[in-house]
Amino acid sequence: MSNSLGTLFKITSFGESHGDCVGILIDGCPAGLPITEDEIQREVDRRKPAAPGTTRRREQDKVEILSGVFNGFTTGAPLCLLTRNQDVDSAAYEKSRHMPRPGHADYTALLKYGGFNDFRGGGRFSGRITAGFVMAGAVARKLLGRLDIDIFAHTVEIGGVRAKQPPLAEIKARAAKNILWCADPAAAEEMARLIVRAQEEKDSLGGIIEGIALNIPAGLGEPVFDRLDSELAKALFAIPAVKGVEFGAGFALARMRGSESNDPFALEDEKIVTTSNNAGGILGGISNGMPLVVRVVVKPTASIARAQDTVDLEKMAPATIEVAGRHDACIVPRAVPVVEAMMAVILCDFALRANMIPRVLT
Ligand SMILES: Cc1cc2nc3c(=O)[nH]c(=O)nc-3n(C[C@H](O)[C@H](O)[C@H](O)COP(=O)(O)O)c2cc1C
């Protein structure tokens, strides 16, 4: 298995959906960062189910700092952060343990780990492990605050409904006003309606999240193999259910000419800027100082109550599965803070690699 990410700000994810806890170990966090459980809790609370059609599993998600903080400051030693699982109901999983859910990782996990894997609630493949990602993101975000880097994400599409894009400077505040994290209130209402309808129809919806980072210094990224875009993509693809990542104009670049896609350079207050941002703030795998813009595609939730074909692996016979249990009819709103967290973790790692953040903070 590969459960660690990063070079200097190195995170290791642990825990299972129905085990004792989920959490994150951070190695390489500079000493001297003031951090409290409450600060991390605020980020974790943003990931809790609140939107229509989200899981009825109600976890307290109370953040605990087990190590690496002394007298309110990080010590430079590994930070161990976790939240204990409390609202666990494994009955539905026990009943259908030999019937892999279409679209979920049950089948591949069983093949790879020979049946020893904890399958309850999806085990290591559950969206629950992203609570640990968000804890790491909270620490990374605080470190990046020293460079005035601001990271936010918002829902741009659910179930085929596209949000109108407000000016960049207004997105963060507008998205914070509704539980779908969508900066277009009319689109958010329509999205919410569609999610409820999909759930009533025993179905689920997917969508697109856009992540933005402002005030990124030019020069982050280590080509050729640790490019800023490739490392961000790796981190974002670690979020279960993410199926696509694009930067700037992304796949639309395929239909542009060079004269349209190139971002012309200009001078603004003696600073080099580009007058468009089709590159999404990254050239040659290195940040160019423009806003970093990345979009991720989140697939429709695999676990749906509608009858679907599967195979009973015990009897080796065709079977039908209706997934009971508590599932999100749309993962998108819950993944928004997770996208922010993964962006923060990667940007923090590169800022440390570029010596933009000292190892001991004063
Ligand atoms: C925040 C979050 C919540 C999720 N909730 C569910 C869920 O309730 N039901 C489900 O089937 N999948 C859920 N997922 C997605 C699955 O974990 C994921 O689809 C599965 O592990 C298979 O991996 P893949 O889709 O990346 O191939 C969630 C993902 C995230 C990020």
Side-chain angles (χ1 to χ4, degrees), residues 104-105 125-127 130 239-241 243 299 301-303 327-328 331 334:
H104 216 288
F125 298 87
S126 165
T130 61
I239 304 172
K243 291 294 132 192
K299 77 181 192 186
T301 318
S303 305
H327 295 281
D328 295 298
I331 294 161
R334 300 198 55 212

Side-chain angles (χ1 to χ4, degrees), residues 2-13 24-30 77-79 136 140 143 345-346 348-350 352-353:
S2 168
N3 293 295
S4 300
L5 177 76
T7 300
L8 292 182
F9 190 83
K10 191 166 190 158
I11 64 167
T12 300
S13 159
I24 205 87
L25 186 78
I26 307 172
D27 201 6
C29 179
L79 269 168
L143 284 164
V345 164
I346 294 301
C348 183
D349 191 34
F350 278 119
L352 281 164
R353 288 170 79 170

Side-chain angles (χ1 to χ4, degrees), residues 165-248:
Q165 195 89 329
L168 199 61
E170 290 175 25
I171 293 176
K172 187 177 176 181
R174 286 210 202 181
K177 285 195 180 137
N178 64 71
I179 46 182
L180 293 184
W181 305 108
C182 176
D184 172 353
E189 257 179 55
E190 178 64 1
M191 289 170 184
R193 217 174 47 75
L194 290 185
I195 295 171
V196 171
R197 201 202 301 159
Q199 194 174 38
E200 285 165 2
E201 293 168 357
K202 301 184 173 182
D203 219 330
S204 61
L205 296 178
I208 300 176
I209 298 167
E210 183 173 76
I212 297 167
L214 302 178
N215 303 327
I216 299 286
L220 298 186
E222 305 292 335
V224 291
F225 291 121
D226 289 359
R227 296 167 56 110
L228 180 55
D229 41 9
S230 55
E231 291 297 290
L232 277 166
K234 178 177 177 173
L236 293 166
F237 273 119
I239 304 172
V242 166
K243 291 294 132 192
V245 174
E246 64 172 16
F247 293 88

Side-chain angles (χ1 to χ4, degrees), residues 77-296:
L79 269 168
C80 184
L81 312 173
L82 61 77
T83 157
R84 293 176 201 273
N85 296 323
Q86 283 165 335
D87 187 13
V88 169
D89 175 7
S90 307
Y93 296 92
E94 294 288 353
K95 263 193 267 165
S96 58
R97 69 174 291 189
H98 301 291
M99 289 200 252
R101 287 170 288 173
H104 216 288
D106 305 342
Y107 176 63
T108 46
L110 180 79
L111 276 188
K112 191 162 175 76
Y113 303 109
F116 287 103
N117 58 300
D118 182 350
F119 58 86
R120 300 165 306 162
R124 272 303 278 160
F125 298 87
S126 165
R128 225 184 123 55
I129 65 158
T130 61
F133 297 5
V134 173
M135 291 179 218
V139 177
R141 209 193 258 277
K142 184 122 200 233
L143 284 164
L144 292 170
R146 296 174 66 91
L147 301 175
D148 278 335
I149 292 178
D150 189 18
I151 299 169
F152 52 91
H154 63 124
T155 298
V156 294
E157 189 170 326
I158 285 180
V161 174
R162 279 196 193 180
K164 282 203 202 88
Q165 195 89 329
L168 199 61
E170 290 175 25
I171 293 176
K172 187 177 176 181
R174 286 210 202 181
K177 285 195 180 137
N178 64 71
I179 46 182
L180 293 184
W181 305 108
C182 176
D184 172 353
E189 257 179 55
E190 178 64 1
M191 289 170 184
R193 217 174 47 75
L194 290 185
I195 295 171
V196 171
R197 201 202 301 159
Q199 194 174 38
E200 285 165 2
E201 293 168 357
K202 301 184 173 182
D203 219 330
S204 61
L205 296 178
I208 300 176
I209 298 167
E210 183 173 76
I212 297 167
L214 302 178
N215 303 327
I216 299 286
L220 298 186
E222 305 292 335
V224 291
F225 291 121
D226 289 359
R227 296 167 56 110
L228 180 55
D229 41 9
S230 55
E231 291 297 290
L232 277 166
K234 178 177 177 173
L236 293 166
F237 273 119
I239 304 172
V242 166
K243 291 294 132 192
V245 174
E246 64 172 16
F247 293 88
F251 276 64
L253 288 166
R255 296 178 291 276
M256 289 183 183
R257 288 174 162 240
S259 52
E260 294 171 281
S261 72
N262 290 344
D263 300 315
F265 288 107
L267 272 171
E268 197 180 270
D269 301 329
E270 293 181 29
K271 233 183 98 192
I272 304 286
V273 295
T274 59
T275 52
S276 55
N277 191 19
N278 291 320
I282 304 175
L283 287 171
I286 304 169
S287 61
N288 64 3
M290 295 301 291
L292 197 158
V293 182
V294 58
R295 275 179 297 278
V296 304

